[in-house]
Amino acid sequence: MTNTNDSMKTGYAQKRKAINTIVYIILSVMVVIWIVPIIWLILQSFNTEMGVTTKFFPSSFTFDHYIALFTDEQYPYGKWILNTFMVAALSCVISTLFILMVSYALSRLRFKVRKTFLNLGLILGMFPGFMSMAATYNIMDIFGLKQQLFALVIVYSAGAGLGYQVAKGFFDTIPRSLDEAAKIDGATRNQIFWQIILPLSKPIIVYTALTTFTGPWADYIFVSYFMKDNESNWTVALGLYKMLDKEAISTHFTTFCAGAVLIAIPITILFIIMQRFYVEGVTGGAVKG
Amino acid sequence: MDYLDYVQMTKGQRFAYRIKSFFTGIPGAIKKFFAIVGAIVKKIFLGLGHFFQNYGGRFVKGDIGTKLSYVIMGAGSMLHGQIMKGLIFLATEVAYIYFMITFGSYYLARIYNSNMILLTTTKTAQGYEQWGTGALGKEVAVHHTGTFGSELKNPDTYDDSNKVLLFFVLTCIVTIAFIAVYIANTKSAYASQQLKREGKKPLNFLQEMKTFLDERFHVTLLTLPIVLLITFNILPIIFTIFMAFTNYDEKHQPPANLYQWVGVKNFADVFYSNPMKSETFGKILIWTLIWAVFATFTNYIFGIILALLINKKGIKAKGFWRTMFVVTAAVPQFVTLLVMKLMLDDKGAVNSLLTSVGIPAVPFLTNATWARITVIVVNMWVGIPYTMLITSGLLMNIPEDLYESARIDGANAVQQFTKITFPYILFVTTPYLITTFVGNINNFNVIYFLTGGGPAVSEYYRAGKTDLLVTWLYKLTVDTKDYNLAAVIGIMVFIICAIGSLIAFNMSKASKNEEEFS
């Protein structure tokens, strides 16, 4: 401690600068590790070769694979996109409605089986999601929905009532005095739900809609079991997975890359815009425990 | 040991104490699990007791209309002037009786039998002879000794076991729903009787309907979600739990080969009686737990470190750094994981890079040990951005005056982290940590897309070295159709998750009392 005050300050600033430089280096290295596979995917989607390459940079570029996606009859990517979109959109509408209804009822209304339902949600949530897949398939068969896209919509949205936690946490934060004031003015609970609570809940509606859309959009498990050999009802996740089969990969790898890039773009943009809601959804529930 | 002892311990001792209390907490949590199950059972019986008390009491105090509605549903409502409501009750009763006669009783009668068909036993000169009544009342001889177990191969004359089991569960659910309506009927009859005695008029139908938009709005909101939940979620789960007690495997695929009840044989198989299955289950269970611990804590710790680096004072372009990592989290997992799989292939991009700089190729996904390390590392690649995203927000929420007072007291950066930042984050994210742990036990994507559970080994029953319980479950369901074994594993995963959540919940409650943040 023989240093003067001044040199201590500059020493401190230098030390801090050095630490920051190290941090920048670490961050840059990490970004490279994280972003390289994505860039590799994008580069390969323009590669003129058809199979898997070991080289990082393609030797020549082409746009053909993106065109092939929509012209290849063996792998009807356009049809898959349409299937995926219809299933995801319909599940999203039904699930969002269900989640809002259930979480509103559990958050704002008081009735006898409320606690039972809360516990039931907790218990059912601990079963592996696809454990009863075979049984569900049998039920769909009986309803005449075997290998139908609508069966997927039902599977994705039937359990939506259990995903009430995040939205319920949000509704819990809206002051109860609002409801009471409206009640004094003669509003029914039905009117309070539609005219007072829902207009205040835009963030949570957006969040719920997003998660219920992206879930089916990227699901592989149920599609792979429900649609097994009915190729015209495949969705993108299953179709792309099949492009990497042993017999297909040597001719379809780059097409796979193009297809993966295409479906990743909208989801990525949505997620980046909506990351705030995502964080609020997860931690908002967490803070309240 | 009380709180004072705990405070006096050194850091190492505290850590050891925590670890010890985690493991000593496991039997307690298991005990608690069964205690909760016991409490639920007790509650059910108490509820039943109350129910019969009220049920009988209403009958005794009821007038003729109320008493009549114990047999003819809706009679009370109609006699008390609620015609429409009474008719709806009556229609429900008629519909239920019709359902039971034409449909329900058929399947209820068949479920008792281990072959899921209706059996009648008659004495013959040689001994016993049993007759099975299959679909359409067709009679067929089944067994002559009265022992069950041989396979049935007569698709025309028997019902599909799937149908029998499924419709049995359905009939049970319909019956429970009917009992609920029946109780509502007696309650409503008694309520309207009391209103009449007080000289008031019971609500008419239109008024009653209006209560569904106000006092009973929860019924309107919950009915449709619950009906769908029961049909497509609870019904299949109960069905699957029943499957665990049958021999519904690849050799018994109805309608060609029916399956039968086998009792707890499948559970015995998985625990001890079938060496191959029990070894596979034990080893996969251990790997699943190892995986879940590593996957959860590597992501958690490195995610927090990354968030701290990005949010460090003096680091510029925070938004840029964050977005770079978020992009990888946003791309659908099956895409990124399949890309990783191709890059880490024996002849993939990473290995060709390694060989070009003179390092021998690494069997990332084909050697058991390497594959296990690879899945954990790739899982970090997938999961760290998520943790970073979530903890970034939390870091900004820590009250600044905590740090200020710490600095005045002379705390250095490391002390600030261990005394303020980390306890705070741990406190706020404990529930998140629990859900991630349970989520990792059920983590399908990373394992299935990367290694497909492989490398497969012959001493495992249809599984590979990196298979988790859930991916094994998936393979048994989709590839080999061992539905009974898959159901057993599903039940085991449920029990593990339930016990794990209980331990974690207890621990987080303890830490909440210790650290006073809120």
Side-chain angles (χ1 to χ4, degrees):
Chain A
M1 285 293 166
T2 49
N3 287 353
T4 62
N5 224 3
D6 264 7
S7 69
M8 247 172 90
K9 258 187 198 162
T10 49
Y12 181 68
Q14 268 172 355
K15 198 179 148 198
R16 192 163 147 175
K17 213 174 166 187
I19 290 175
N20 278 353
T21 320
I22 295 170
V23 170
Y24 279 126
I25 292 170
I26 296 173
L27 280 178
S28 313
V29 171
M30 284 180 82
V31 163
V32 169
I33 295 173
W34 255 261
I35 224 74
V36 154
I38 310 274
I39 293 178
W40 186 71
L41 176 73
I42 297 170
L43 286 177
Q44 294 309 317
S45 74
F46 293 105
N47 193 346
T48 36
E49 292 167 44
M50 301 290 262
V52 192
T53 70
T54 52
K55 278 178 286 181
F56 191 82
F57 285 100
S59 42
S60 55
F61 291 87
T62 170
F63 201 68
D64 286 350
H65 308 304
Y66 287 90
I67 298 163
L69 278 177
F70 297 93
T71 51
D72 187 344
E73 277 172 17
Q74 194 192 349
Y75 292 96
Y77 185 80
K79 178 95 172 76
W80 297 340
I81 287 262
L82 202 66
N83 288 343
T84 316
F85 184 78
M86 284 195 313
V87 170
L90 211 54
S91 318
C92 166
V93 173
I94 300 175
S95 308
T96 309
L97 209 61
F98 276 13
I99 290 176
L100 292 176
M101 279 157 63
V102 171
S103 40
Y104 174 79
L106 293 177
S107 160
R108 315 294 278 189
L109 307 177
R110 289 292 174 271
F111 48 93
K112 239 181 169 176
V113 289
R114 183 173 162 270
K115 276 267 160 64
T116 318
F117 198 91
L118 285 172
N119 291 333
L120 190 75
L122 213 64
I123 292 170
L124 285 179
M126 285 175 196
F127 283 102
F130 53 89
M131 165 188 163
S132 50
M133 195 160 61
T136 317
Y137 186 78
N138 280 328
I139 295 174
M140 292 304 172
D141 194 3
I142 284 158
F143 279 95
L145 291 170
K146 196 179 181 180
Q147 303 200 330
Q148 297 293 305
L149 285 173
F150 194 66
L152 286 179
V153 175
I154 294 176
V155 167
Y156 296 136
S157 43
L162 294 176
Y164 56 76
Q165 286 88 352
V166 175
K168 177 181 172 291
F170 181 88
F171 285 138
D172 285 342
T173 60
I174 302 178
R176 289 199 145 256
S177 52
L178 271 177
D179 300 43
E180 272 143 34
K183 225 179 271 174
I184 290 168
D185 289 345
T188 63
R189 290 183 175 84
N190 179 41
Q191 287 165 325
I192 296 174
F193 177 56
W194 294 104
Q195 290 168 17
I196 296 176
I197 302 296
L198 281 195
L200 285 173
S201 316
K202 267 180 207 139
I204 206 65
I205 297 175
V206 173
Y207 168 77
T208 316
L210 266 173
T211 47
T212 52
F213 183 83
T214 49
W217 182 268
D219 177 65
Y220 169 82
I221 302 174
F222 279 97
V223 188
S224 66
Y225 187 66
F226 274 56
M227 295 305 166
K228 287 171 204 160
D229 38 15
N230 188 357
E231 288 185 27
S232 65
N233 276 350
W234 281 2
T235 63
V236 174
L238 181 58
L240 287 179
Y241 187 79
K242 295 283 179 187
M243 277 189 181
L244 297 183
D245 270 355
K246 270 189 201 105
E247 32 318 344
I249 192 165
S250 58
T251 49
H252 284 85
F253 167 69
T254 39
T255 325
F256 159 84
C257 294
V261 170
L262 272 194
I263 72 146
I265 289 173
I267 294 292
T268 311
I269 293 173
L270 270 182
F271 191 85
I272 289 174
I273 298 172
M274 294 303 173
Q275 48 172 304
R276 188 167 63 86
F277 296 112
Y278 176 80
V279 175
E280 273 172 18
V282 175
T283 52
V287 174
K288 272 174 224 81
Chain B
M1 156 151 44
D2 57 17
Y3 183 68
L4 264 181
D5 294 330
Y6 181 80
V7 181
Q8 285 167 350
M9 283 194 284
T10 64
K11 264 195 194 139
Q13 281 173 325
R14 281 187 196 186
F15 183 70
Y17 175 69
R18 287 272 184 118
I19 297 284
K20 200 184 111 206
S21 62
F22 174 79
F23 284 107
T24 50
I26 290 174
I30 294 173
K31 211 170 107 194
K32 198 163 180 187
F33 176 76
F34 287 107
I36 288 177
V37 172
I40 292 172
V41 173
K42 190 180 154 199
K43 218 173 163 185
I44 289 172
F45 278 107
L46 277 179
L48 277 179
H50 269 285
F51 161 73
F52 280 114
Q53 204 180 349
N54 293 335
Y55 180 77
R58 281 199 298 272
F59 186 77
V60 173
K61 283 183 253 165
D63 64 1
I64 178 72
T66 310
K67 280 184 174 142
L68 204 56
S69 62
Y70 273 67
V71 188
I72 303 167
M73 283 170 61
S77 303
M78 279 190 268
L79 284 178
H80 299 143
Q82 294 175 300
I83 305 288
M84 195 64 193
K85 196 175 180 184
L87 283 177
I88 290 174
F89 278 135
L90 191 63
T92 319
E93 186 171 14
V94 171
Y96 177 71
I97 291 172
Y98 180 77
F99 168 82
M100 283 309 284
I101 290 173
T102 56
F103 185 88
S105 58
Y106 184 86
Y107 293 102
L108 282 187
R110 273 153 185 78
I111 201 74
Y112 266 135
N113 187 272
S114 72
N115 290 315
M116 295 185 200
I117 53 174
L118 193 64
L119 278 184
T120 37
T121 315
T122 49
K123 244 182 182 173
T124 62
Q126 288 84 15
Y128 289 99
E129 190 165 55
Q130 287 195 307
W131 296 86
T133 315
L136 309 167
K138 207 169 172 181
E139 294 221 329
V140 234
V142 188
H143 302 289
H144 297 282
T145 54
T147 54
F148 310 124
S150 65
E151 285 145 32
L152 299 172
K153 291 190 182 172
N154 239 343
D156 304 333
T157 46
Y158 300 104
D159 284 317
D160 183 336
S161 328
N162 265 333
K163 263 193 188 158
V164 176
L165 194 50
L166 185 60
F167 287 146
F168 167 74
V169 179
L170 184 70
T171 309
C172 290
I173 289 176
V174 169
T175 304
I176 291 169
F178 172 75
I179 290 173
V181 177
Y182 170 76
I183 302 304
N185 145 64
T186 63
K187 268 188 195 164
S188 145
Y190 187 64
S192 57
Q193 173 198 336
Q194 275 189 320
L195 274 178
K196 267 188 106 173
R197 197 170 49 205
E198 287 163 20
K200 288 180 206 154
K201 216 170 164 265
L203 295 177
N204 67 30
F205 186 65
L206 205 68
Q207 286 167 322
E208 190 113 19
M209 281 291 106
K210 273 189 183 158
T211 63
F212 284 109
L213 290 181
D214 203 7
E215 291 90 348
R216 283 191 273 177
F217 189 44
H218 60 271
V219 179
T220 321
L221 286 179
L222 293 177
T223 303
L224 196 57
I226 287 183
V227 167
L228 274 178
L229 191 70
I230 288 174
T231 331
F232 295 104
N233 212 311
I234 297 178
L235 177 67
I237 286 181
I238 297 175
F239 186 8
T240 311
I241 291 173
F242 278 134
M243 276 182 198
F245 301 94
T246 68
N247 59 358
Y248 189 8
D249 53 22
E250 58 179 339
K251 289 192 198 111
H252 299 84
Q253 292 286 324
N257 280 319
L258 303 185
Y259 57 80
Q260 292 111 34
W261 293 118
V262 294
V264 290
K265 180 179 173 293
N266 298 318
F267 290 90
D269 272 357
V270 158
F271 285 123
Y272 56 89
S273 67
N274 182 322
M276 195 179 190
K277 283 180 188 171
S278 54
E279 194 202 320
T280 316
F281 176 75
K283 287 199 172 152
I284 290 187
L285 173 64
I286 291 168
W287 162 237
T288 304
L289 293 177
I290 294 174
W291 150 264
V293 169
F294 273 98
T296 308
F297 287 99
T298 48
N299 276 355
Y300 186 68
I301 293 165
F302 288 102
I304 288 177
I305 292 175
L306 179 61
L308 283 173
L309 289 181
I310 291 178
N311 288 301
K312 192 178 176 306
K313 265 201 205 107
I315 295 294
K316 290 192 185 86
K318 289 186 166 65
F320 163 78
W321 297 112
R322 204 176 301 142
T323 313
M324 278 302 158
F325 290 101
V326 170
V327 165
T328 54
V331 178
Q333 276 191 7
F334 72 90
V335 169
T336 44
L337 289 169
L338 286 173
V339 169
M340 284 304 226
K341 177 192 174 179
L342 293 168
M343 291 181 78
L344 294 169
D345 192 74
D346 279 353
K347 292 181 198 111
V350 175
N351 269 330
S352 71
L353 186 76
L354 287 181
T355 39
S356 70
V357 292
I359 303 169
V362 179
F364 288 111
L365 302 171
T366 44
N367 171 290
T369 315
W370 271 107
R372 288 181 168 185
I373 296 168
T374 310
V375 287
I376 289 174
V377 172
V378 173
N379 183 62
M380 285 167 67
W381 186 86
V382 171
I384 284 176
Y386 279 105
T387 321
M388 182 273 295
L389 194 61
I390 285 155
T391 44
S392 279
L394 295 174
L395 287 174
M396 286 180 250
N397 280 344
I398 303 179
E400 185 59 27
D401 46 343
L402 277 180
Y403 290 108
E404 227 157 77
S405 49
R407 269 195 294 273
I408 291 167
D409 289 346
N412 62 30
V414 177
Q415 281 170 330
Q416 282 175 31
F417 176 76
T418 54
K419 299 279 177 192
I420 300 174
T421 316
F422 191 68
Y424 180 86
I425 293 179
L426 192 64
F427 171 74
V428 196
T429 53
T430 311
Y432 170 74
L433 208 53
I434 297 168
T435 41
T436 352
F437 186 78
V438 173
N440 272 325
I441 289 179
N442 287 311
N443 196 331
F444 174 86
N445 282 357
V446 172
I447 303 289
Y448 189 79
F449 288 124
L450 266 184
T451 62
V457 278
S458 54
E459 68 258 32
Y460 277 16
Y461 183 81
R462 282 155 188 178
K465 283 280 182 184
T466 54
D467 259 322
L468 303 179
L469 286 175
V470 281
T471 53
W472 192 30
L473 191 164
Y474 177 87
K475 284 177 173 177
L476 290 173
T477 308
V478 176
D479 301 338
T480 65
K481 298 188 198 284
D482 278 321
Y483 295 117
N484 54 351
L485 191 56
V488 171
I489 293 161
I491 293 171
M492 294 318 295
V493 172
F494 166 76
I495 292 175
I496 293 164
C497 290
I499 291 176
S501 306
L502 269 178
I503 299 178
F505 183 72
N506 280 347
M507 288 197 13
S508 74
K509 237 179 27 194
S511 68
K512 255 175 208 173
N513 295 339
E514 241 165 62
E515 269 100 34
E516 289 194 339
F517 279 107
S518 59

